[in-house]
Amino acid sequence: MADMMQFDLVSPERRVASQKARAVQIPGVEGDLTAMPNHAPLITTLRPGVVHVEGESGTEEFVVTGGFAQITGDGISILAEESYHRDEMSQDILDRMVEDAAEKQRKAVEASHNDPGPVDDAAKLLADMMAMGSHVGLSANQPNL
């Protein structure tokens, strides 16, 4: 069928979906996009969200936690970090996903406290430049900090 394309959704554990589709709405990191047959080739990164697939039997929804989508002229392949058909989702699964995301955020905040970071690097660069000027007998203009 010319108005259909192949849609495949897989996660590391299993194949979640494989079907023909008229349109697939993808939650991309740079914004949502809808792919249809003969779409220009594209690879994009996914953000957590819902993939909407318009197929022969209506619209189906799949939850993804991130991953990648490859769009070709004749199909879409999504490799999701984790994915479920909407009917499979439960409060327990969502609670676990949210807790995993919160833990990742906590670890990132902790890591940034142990890392000097760009502000400290810039302050050190400024101090080194001023010290270098003094060393060669020049007076660095004191910036207003």
Side-chain angles (χ1 to χ4, degrees):
M1 301 172 106
D3 65 337
M4 301 294 271
M5 63 184 167
Q6 182 61 37
F7 168 72
D8 292 300
L9 172 59
V10 297
S11 66
E13 298 83 23
R14 66 192 177 119
R15 178 182 301 216
V16 181
S18 182
Q19 63 193 61
K20 295 292 184 186
R22 284 184 190 85
V24 179
Q25 185 178 1
I26 301 166
V29 219
E30 296 179 12
D32 290 354
L33 66 102
T34 300
M36 300 172 81
N38 300 315
H39 192 285
L42 173 75
I43 294 177
T44 189
T45 307
L46 302 177
R47 65 175 167 71
V50 178
V51 175
H52 301 270
V53 180
E54 184 184 321
E56 295 172 316
S57 59
T59 301
E60 290 187 75
E61 296 178 329
F62 300 90
V63 173
V64 295
T65 60
F68 299 92
Q70 179 181 15
I71 303 169
T72 62
D74 57 354
I76 297 179
S77 296
I78 294 179
L79 175 58
E81 293 171 359
E82 190 172 357
S83 180
Y84 297 93
H85 189 280
R86 183 181 168 122
D87 294 342
E88 296 175 304
M89 280 299 294
S90 68
Q91 188 63 49
D92 290 339
I93 292 172
L94 180 62
D95 290 346
R96 181 188 47 75
M97 288 177 171
V98 169
E99 182 54 39
D100 289 349
E103 181 62 23
K104 286 179 184 175
Q105 182 193 27
R106 282 191 290 275
K107 287 181 180 178
V109 168
E110 288 172 10
S112 70
H113 288 276
N114 296 328
D115 183 28
V119 174
D120 291 346
D121 292 344
K124 182 177 182 329
L125 175 63
L126 177 60
D128 289 344
M129 290 293 181
M130 292 171 58
M132 179 188 63
S134 296
H135 184 73
V136 296
L138 299 174
S139 175
N141 292 330
Q142 295 293 320
N144 292 330
L145 299 177

